[in-house]
Amino acid sequence: SELIRGFLLSGMPCLSSCPPGLLALMAPGLALMATFSLPSQAGDRRALPVEKPPGVKGRTLILLDVNTKSPVRIISENFLSLQLDPSIIHDGWLDFLSSRRLVTLARGLAPAFLRFAGKRTDFLQFHNVKNPAKSRGGPGPDYYLKNYEDDIVRSDIALDKQKGCKIAQHPDIMLELQREKAAQMHLVLLKEQFSNTYSNLTLTARSLDKLYNFADCSGLHLIFALNALRRNPNNSWNSSNALSLLKYSASKKYNISWELGNEPNNYRTLIGRSVNGSQLGKDYTQLRSLLQLIRTYSRAHLYGPNIGRPRKNVIAFLEGFMKVAGGTVDAVTWQHYYIDGRVAKVTDFLKTRLLDTLSDQIRKIQKVVNTYTPGKKIWLEGVGTTSAGGMNNLSDSYAAGFLWLNTLGLLASQGIDVVVRHSFLDHGHNHLVDQNFNPLPDYWLSLLYKRLIGPKVLAIHVAGLQRKPRPGRVIRDKLRIYAHCTSYHNHNYVRGSITLYIINLHRSRKKIKLAGTLRDKIVHQYLLQPYGNDGLHSKSVQLNGQLLAMVDDGTLPELKPRPLRAGRTLVIPPLTMSFYVVKNVNALACRYR
């Protein structure tokens, strides 16, 4: 067994150098060695064409070990973070962020960043007024507006009387009226999105107070993206409105980090006038100078440029930005959507080719960043499974979790410091929480990730038999395995424990035997499966056979593991996602923070 363990940890077949005894042990069962998690190889793995030994069936046991001596990457404690789109001003949901239920759900995902940004960032204007009822409009009959606005004002008055974290109790009828308004506004927002023409938005001081209160109560750090499309005649950034917002935030002592603009490479399609990378770099330098003039924000963090998919012209934009402002920003940001939400199908979420599209983007971004500012942190912001607002029963279903969990694993293994999920609550179907304030499958997946996964990423070594590929056909990985040190914040596990998370895209179950340092250890299983008869389309999930649901507005359910006896083979059901905490490994990489 020690010889086999050495073979596994080496990560490569020993071939002619193997001792005869080891070859004899290996011959019946091990025909291929694959190292899944070496950061430089993620997304480029290919199965070798090998003949199956006589008598061996297609389904085989997979041997798994983890390098516990040192981490291959260390990511931010806020690695999994959240985004809110400014559209919540339009459809009215911003007024309900003080809901106890929403705060409870957001608090479950802390610590994290809360990025307030999106397509409407560059149409947002700050207006320093306190009375929201006089400046807000919306569709609906007179009785609807009158009752709705009066309720909002009464709620605001009640909030003002509270000290510290301000939590509201909204009557059911008030929430029903809000859902009516949001449903009507959803059509308006979609029309804007598809036509790529957006109306101006006003953020009042009252609204900013509510946004910050939500972030603060939830244990989230607010990142606010300022409007970059306010331009002077010479195309330089007009900072007057931003300065008004900065001064107000400073007067309230709000702890905020900042960005400027959203997808600046697309400005020509929005306003018919482009801003190149070097000009945006100058604008960021101007913003940094502005922040340094305000004592509260003299050391505030600044992130950008939040470009879109790194195609050739976008890479040129990023290069121009990095030349001018690479040293100005604290992290370089870009965003990514996998599928056009208007044409998505459930089978799209199971395609390994789609899961691997992100790897090429990571390499392109890293190449530019390391050329100009080696070692600068890189973030993926605004990531979502689908664009165009998503699709009902797809991007908000269990099936979307395969893309989301693989995104987390892939980004962590390649050293991306933070990933910002679009969106926590939003119009459309890409969110973690729906408009009834019920958590969707990706929320529960994110909650498990937060509870179990620490910032240290570990290399794994896998050995097992693969099916022989057909001529001319590439076999991609349908079994994705990632490993981290278990979260230090989880007091159910001692330091030195390891958490595996596994995506099985096969339509058959897979068996994994823990070897080497993981051998004969007690394992806790967290198996996430769809609940009910909708299968992959389900919007509810079960953990180890138990439906996940909030206990009440202020309480999340206990996430109970299923203990597995030491040495037991892990059986991974088809089309599932699962977490496994290997207890008491005493991994050197995981003993200290």
Side-chain angles (χ1 to χ4, degrees):
S1 63
E2 288 300 312
L3 286 170
I4 292 177
R5 179 185 171 193
F7 168 77
L8 288 171
L9 288 175
S10 71
M12 292 292 291
C14 53
L15 302 176
S16 60
S17 62
C18 283
L22 180 55
L23 286 171
L25 287 170
M26 289 162 48
L30 297 179
L32 174 68
M33 164 62 74
T35 302
F36 276 34
S37 66
L38 291 180
S40 62
Q41 296 177 352
D44 290 331
R45 303 184 291 273
R46 300 290 186 270
L48 300 176
V50 293
E51 297 291 341
K52 285 179 282 189
V56 177
K57 297 182 179 180
R59 292 173 187 161
T60 61
L61 190 68
I62 297 164
L63 297 178
L64 170 65
D65 194 12
V66 173
N67 185 340
T68 60
K69 292 182 179 179
S70 61
V72 292
R73 306 285 188 194
I74 300 178
I75 53 178
S76 170
E77 289 275 0
N78 292 6
F79 173 71
L80 195 168
S81 288
L82 307 171
Q83 180 165 321
L84 279 175
D85 194 282
S87 62
I88 63 172
I89 301 171
H90 247 327
D91 60 24
W93 284 117
L94 188 143
D95 290 319
F96 292 82
L97 290 180
S98 55
S99 160
R100 180 177 300 278
R101 191 175 180 90
L102 281 182
V103 170
T104 299
L105 288 166
R107 193 176 285 160
L109 301 181
F113 296 108
L114 178 67
R115 179 177 184 253
F116 187 67
K119 291 285 188 183
R120 292 165 180 82
T121 285
D122 295 301
F123 300 90
L124 190 65
Q125 301 180 70
F126 178 69
H127 190 30
N128 192 356
V129 297
K130 276 291 186 179
N131 187 348
K134 293 181 180 178
S135 60
R136 185 194 293 110
D142 291 342
Y143 82 91
Y144 166 82
L145 279 176
K146 181 178 185 301
N147 292 344
Y148 177 84
E149 300 292 1
D150 287 349
D151 285 343
I152 293 292
V153 171
R154 281 193 290 268
S155 175
D156 288 348
I157 292 171
L159 285 175
D160 286 343
K161 294 178 181 179
Q162 298 181 33
K163 293 183 178 180
C165 184
K166 299 176 180 181
I167 301 295
Q169 292 289 350
H170 300 109
D172 290 342
I173 185 63
M174 191 175 174
L175 286 168
E176 280 299 318
L177 288 171
Q178 166 54 24
R179 279 190 281 269
E180 279 183 40
K181 175 186 177 181
Q184 295 177 48
M185 285 304 302
H186 177 61
L187 299 176
V188 176
L189 296 172
L190 281 180
K191 184 178 179 180
E192 287 187 352
Q193 191 162 327
F194 291 146
S195 65
N196 210 29
T197 55
Y198 298 94
S199 57
N200 288 328
L201 270 177
T202 297
L203 178 75
T204 65
R206 170 77 69 184
S207 296
L208 181 59
D209 293 343
K210 292 179 180 180
L211 176 64
Y212 189 82
N213 177 71
F214 171 71
D216 195 42
C217 289
S218 305
L220 309 176
H221 177 79
L222 182 61
I223 300 174
F224 193 101
L226 298 164
N227 183 342
L229 278 183
R230 292 179 66 90
R231 293 271 140 190
N232 295 314
N234 64 356
N235 208 29
S236 63
W237 179 51
N238 185 328
S239 61
S240 57
N241 191 256
L243 182 59
S244 176
L245 192 155
L246 289 169
K247 286 181 176 179
Y248 176 78
S249 300
S251 72
K252 304 285 285 189
K253 293 183 169 54
Y254 288 160
N255 181 19
I256 302 176
S257 295
W258 304 94
E259 294 183 0
L260 182 60
N262 184 79
E263 276 197 276
N265 51 285
N266 282 338
Y267 283 167
R268 179 174 290 278
T269 62
L270 290 176
I271 61 168
R273 183 172 65 174
S274 63
V275 176
N276 61 34
S278 59
Q279 178 58 58
L280 187 71
K282 294 174 185 176
D283 300 336
Y284 261 80
T285 303
Q286 181 183 346
L287 175 55
R288 173 61 79 188
S289 299
L290 205 62
L291 292 172
Q292 290 173 343
L293 293 174
I294 301 172
R295 180 177 296 180
T296 304
Y297 300 123
S298 60
R299 297 185 179 180
H301 287 145
L302 183 59
Y303 306 110
N306 192 45
I307 53 172
R309 184 189 295 266
R311 297 184 176 94
K312 186 176 181 179
N313 63 318
V314 181
I315 289 297
F317 184 100
L318 180 59
E319 289 174 338
F321 176 85
M322 295 300 295
K323 288 176 184 177
V324 177
T328 301
V329 293
D330 295 286
V332 177
T333 62
W334 97 102
Q335 59 180 280
H336 173 70
Y337 290 89
Y338 284 96
I339 314 172
D340 185 339
R342 292 168 286 187
V343 297
K345 303 183 294 295
V346 69
T347 51
D348 291 334
F349 296 98
L350 308 179
K351 293 178 179 177
T352 54
R353 188 181 300 277
L354 183 65
L355 269 64
D356 291 337
T357 56
L358 193 55
S359 294
D360 184 51
Q361 292 193 32
I362 294 171
R363 283 191 294 272
K364 289 178 179 178
I365 297 291
Q366 286 176 333
K367 181 180 179 180
V368 175
V369 173
N370 290 331
T371 297
Y372 293 97
T373 53
K376 178 76 69 176
K377 294 185 184 303
I378 302 174
W379 292 11
L380 177 59
E381 291 187 331
V383 66
T385 52
T386 57
S387 62
M391 184 174 287
N392 190 27
N393 293 325
L394 281 179
S395 49
D396 52 2
S397 70
Y398 178 86
F402 295 120
L403 275 176
W404 178 224
L405 187 57
N406 187 70
T407 298
L408 294 170
L410 184 60
L411 292 171
S413 68
Q414 299 230 12
I416 303 303
D417 198 50
V418 171
V419 53
V420 181
R421 170 61 190 256
H422 186 285
S423 172
F424 177 71
L425 175 74
D426 195 4
H427 77 95
H429 306 283
N430 266 336
H431 39 235
L432 299 182
V433 178
D434 69 17
Q435 296 191 355
N436 292 311
F437 298 171
N438 289 323
L440 292 164
D442 275 7
Y443 175 85
W444 296 116
L445 189 59
S446 302
L447 183 64
L448 275 168
Y449 192 96
K450 280 287 189 179
R451 295 282 177 88
L452 300 175
I453 302 298
K456 292 184 178 181
V457 186
L458 305 174
I460 65 168
H461 304 290
V462 180
L465 287 175
Q466 302 269 341
R467 296 179 185 273
K468 181 180 178 181
R470 299 174 189 172
R473 182 184 177 190
V474 175
I475 292 184
R476 292 175 180 266
D477 302 313
K478 287 195 171 186
L479 190 67
R480 307 284 172 120
I481 306 174
Y482 301 97
H484 288 237
C485 295
T486 303
S487 172
Y488 298 123
H489 300 294
N490 193 323
H491 300 301
N492 294 323
Y493 302 108
V494 299
R495 291 190 181 183
S497 299
I498 287 173
T499 301
L500 309 168
Y501 49 110
I502 302 174
I503 303 167
N504 184 11
L505 294 173
H506 290 276
R507 297 186 180 274
S508 59
R509 67 180 187 174
K510 295 298 170 184
K511 295 182 179 181
I512 297 176
K513 186 73 172 177
L514 301 183
T517 52
L518 309 184
R519 183 181 179 185
D520 294 332
K521 303 294 183 185
I522 295 174
V523 175
H524 279 184
Q525 172 186 277
Y526 296 83
L527 176 61
L528 205 61
Q529 294 175 289
Y531 180 83
N533 298 322
D534 293 328
L536 296 179
H537 291 277
S538 178
K539 295 184 182 181
S540 300
V541 294
Q542 54 184 327
L543 178 65
N544 296 326
Q546 298 296 315
L547 173 67
L548 286 177
M550 294 187 72
V551 177
D552 54 48
D553 286 351
T555 312
L556 292 169
E558 182 182 356
L559 303 177
K560 297 180 180 179
R562 179 190 175 197
L564 305 178
R565 72 173 186 274
R568 178 173 173 175
T569 298
L570 308 183
V571 180
I572 317 297
L575 299 176
T576 57
M577 296 164 281
S578 50
F579 296 78
Y580 295 90
V581 179
V582 188
K583 299 181 64 179
N584 305 321
V585 179
N586 198 28
L588 180 62
C590 306
R591 289 183 205 164
Y592 309 103
R593 298 187 73 166

